[in-house]
Amino acid sequence: VSKEGFVTETVTVSASPEQNLTVPSIAVTSTEFDGGDDSGGVSGATGGAAAIVLTNLASEVINISETGGNVNSAFTFEVQDSTGRPIGSQNAVDVNFVITNGPGGAEGISPEVVRTNENGTVTSNIFAGNRAGNLSIEARIERPEVGLTIRSKPILLTIHGGFPDLEHFSIAADVFNFEGLAINGNRNSITVIVGDKFSNPAKPGTPVYFNTTGGVIQGSGVTDDDGEIEVELISGDPRPAGGFLTIRAHTFDENDQEIVRTIPVLFSGPPTSQNITVTPNTFDIPPNGSQRFTMEITDVNGNALPFNTNITVTPSDGMTVDGDVDISIPNTLGTGEGITLFSFTAQDSDEETSERQDVSIRIEVETPGGFTASKTISGFKAKSF
């Protein structure tokens, strides 16, 4: 804003889609004053209200009401005349405080209207409601005698969440069939999300405690702004019988009652040739014919092999294979089709074979940790005519 005989002023205003654009009042100061003091400043009585600026905000972050944390924040504005000086008591005005955006949890301001004092300042308090989210406050002055509405730049605050609630408390593992039975020190991320009863993230810094029936787990963590905590399960003793362990996460709700979530995780073991079963285990393929096979492959406990274990099926010359012949074990706790049970078909690929041939099919297994096992089944391929 510029005008001859006045100091040029610049203000930056943030805008976002679908939000009202609020431009604060701008006061420009004359470069020539009648009756200035020796320092070149402005002298004489202050004028009427022309601008309002925030001078103090006790806290930019408050907590949901009744959570035991700080649930309110005091703020102070200064009302200035057109020269940038605080207005005096002779020009006192009422300042109205308005919540322009909020989470809608019955947050409020008290008092909502304050009259400026002899220093041109007003102080009030914003109180959190029962929902977390972002909040903005605006101060307004109405001067109908000069047709002027004066608005402040909005104050921006954040209301953090409440106490943990069991219905909004969840736990998950990064990997369910975790290669932990034969390896020490493998790590698996365990994540919890803690929300309050209003489905908002719980108050940041909320502690959650962990224990496990197998291996070792980091004992506790505190929630971040999104209510999340991540700890690590570390493979080691004790190894759970049968491979399955249980992880337990617990914290306390608004009534100081313990709330608990649990999750199973599988310590998958290495493959062995004894745990690779192919049916039939021998074969005799007729000319231009085929043979279908079923295959069961598990770890030493009969469970799924570790996540991302690779299984390949390779035939000898003169044959091709189709079906489950290049397998990656999924992230799972289960067994069955596509996990521990597979099938493929071997076919004669020679157009003409002069004599009966010995042929074979090799199944190879390798886990992400480098454990391997294999099995070869042998058979015959009849000569073609």
Side-chain angles (χ1 to χ4, degrees):
V1 178
S2 62
K3 180 177 173 62
E4 185 177 352
F6 290 81
V7 177
T8 297
E9 297 289 347
T10 300
V11 63
T12 300
V13 181
S14 297
S16 58
E18 300 180 4
Q19 297 292 322
N20 290 333
L21 179 62
T22 301
V23 181
S25 298
I26 304 172
V28 291
T29 305
S30 174
T31 57
E32 299 178 2
F33 297 99
D34 293 331
D37 59 22
D38 292 340
S39 63
V42 181
S43 63
T46 58
I52 183 168
V53 295
L54 179 69
T55 58
N56 184 65
L57 177 62
S59 177
E60 294 180 352
V61 177
I62 55 179
N63 296 305
I64 281 181
S65 60
E66 300 181 2
T67 59
N70 181 27
V71 298
N72 73 293
S73 179
F75 55 86
T76 300
F77 282 91
E78 182 181 86
V79 181
Q80 301 172 347
D81 67 8
S82 62
T83 67
R85 295 178 297 169
I87 64 171
S89 57
Q90 72 277 12
N91 292 308
V93 291
D94 288 335
V95 180
N96 296 272
F97 301 108
V98 180
I99 297 174
T100 55
N101 282 292
E107 52 276 359
I109 299 173
S110 181
E112 293 182 344
V113 181
V114 181
R115 195 162 184 81
T116 55
N117 60 20
E118 66 275 9
N119 298 315
T121 61
V122 287
T123 298
S124 189
N125 281 270
I126 177 69
F127 289 86
N130 55 21
R131 288 186 181 275
N134 294 319
L135 180 71
S136 60
I137 304 167
E138 184 181 80
R140 297 177 185 172
I141 300 171
E142 299 290 343
R143 293 191 62 191
E145 75 279 7
V146 293
L148 181 64
T149 298
I150 304 167
R151 291 181 171 89
S152 69
K153 182 179 179 180
I155 307 174
L156 302 178
L157 302 95
T158 300
I159 301 174
H160 279 159
F163 288 103
D165 176 67
L166 181 59
E167 292 186 0
H168 299 92
F169 183 23
S170 56
I171 182 172
D174 185 36
V175 178
F176 288 105
N177 45 331
F178 172 53
E179 192 169 12
L181 199 64
I183 298 177
N184 284 331
N186 253 5
R187 291 174 178 259
N188 189 4
S189 293
I190 308 299
T191 303
V192 297
I193 300 176
V194 188
D196 64 17
K197 62 184 179 182
F198 301 103
S199 73
N200 303 127
K203 182 172 65 175
T206 296
V208 176
Y209 307 93
F210 299 86
N211 53 47
T212 177
T213 59
V216 173
I217 193 168
Q218 293 169 345
S220 65
V222 295
T223 57
D224 61 15
D225 288 348
D226 295 323
E228 292 190 49
I229 300 171
E230 182 177 305
V231 297
E232 290 189 322
L233 171 68
I234 306 169
S235 63
D237 291 335
R239 261 70 183 196
F244 286 93
L245 59 91
T246 299
I247 295 170
R248 179 177 183 267
H250 61 108
T251 187
F252 298 89
D253 64 14
E254 62 183 344
N255 299 312
D256 204 28
Q257 298 296 310
E258 185 181 53
I259 56 176
V260 180
R261 288 296 187 199
T262 61
I263 189 171
V265 172
L266 171 63
F267 268 11
S268 291
T272 67
S273 59
Q274 290 81 8
N275 293 101
I276 303 174
T277 303
V278 183
T279 304
N281 59 10
T282 187
F283 56 92
D284 193 342
I285 297 178
N288 301 315
S290 64
Q291 173 69 56
R292 181 175 173 82
F293 297 87
T294 59
M295 182 168 59
E296 182 177 19
I297 304 177
T298 68
D299 73 356
V300 294
N301 287 314
N303 299 317
L305 287 163
F307 174 49
N308 276 336
T309 292
N310 190 54
I311 302 171
T312 57
V313 179
T314 306
S316 59
D317 291 342
M319 292 194 302
T320 61
V321 288
D322 293 308
D324 297 328
V325 297
D326 188 1
I327 303 161
S328 182
I329 299 298
N331 191 1
T332 181
L333 291 171
T335 57
E337 291 291 336
I339 302 171
T340 55
L341 298 176
F342 313 95
S343 63
F344 64 91
T345 300
Q347 298 175 321
D348 176 14
S349 64
D350 284 346
E351 293 183 359
E352 184 175 336
T353 303
S354 60
E355 59 184 17
R356 182 178 172 89
Q357 292 183 357
D358 293 331
V359 290
S360 64
I361 299 172
R362 183 173 177 82
I363 297 96
E364 296 177 300
V365 183
E366 183 174 4
T367 72
F371 290 95
T372 61
S374 63
K375 174 167 284 190
T376 300
I377 57 172
S378 299
F380 300 97
K381 189 180 69 164
K383 65 180 180 178
S384 302
F385 298 96

